[in-house]
Amino acid sequence: MPIIEMHMMVGRTTEQKNKVAVAVTEAVAKSLECSADTVRILITEHATDGFYVAGQTMAQRAAARAQEKTA
């Protein structure tokens, strides 16, 4: 039973998460030659202050990008 764990920032709609779940399920079932009924997907959403890239939160990175655009 394949278990796919996805992490993403908060803010996506239920429809968007449904679409990605369907697409990933189809891709996994096809590539592993297994039934879609066996594919499990876990989506964990993270706030902008709980997700880091290069030591900065996503909120900090967004603020820096916005500042660069106005400079």
Side-chain angles (χ1 to χ4, degrees), residues 1-4 25-35 38-39:
M1 164 182 14
I3 300 172
I4 311 304
T25 297
E26 290 174 357
V28 169
K30 181 178 179 181
S31 62
L32 295 180
E33 299 177 6
C34 65
S35 169
T38 67
V39 178

Side-chain angles (χ1 to χ4, degrees), residues 7 9 11-12 14-16 19-20 23-24 28 33 36 39-40 44 47 51-52 57-58 61:
H7 293 264
M9 303 303 301
R12 291 186 173 83
T14 299
E15 181 181 337
Q16 289 173 314
K19 285 175 68 174
V20 75
V24 170
V28 169
E33 299 177 6
V39 178
R40 308 292 188 257
T44 303
F51 193 100
Y52 290 78
T57 66
M58 293 303 286
R61 291 172 58 86

Side-chain angles (χ1 to χ4, degrees), residues 40-56:
R40 308 292 188 257
I41 299 175
L42 307 169
I43 296 177
T44 303
E45 295 180 283
H46 300 277
T48 57
D49 64 348
F51 193 100
Y52 290 78
V53 175
Q56 291 185 318

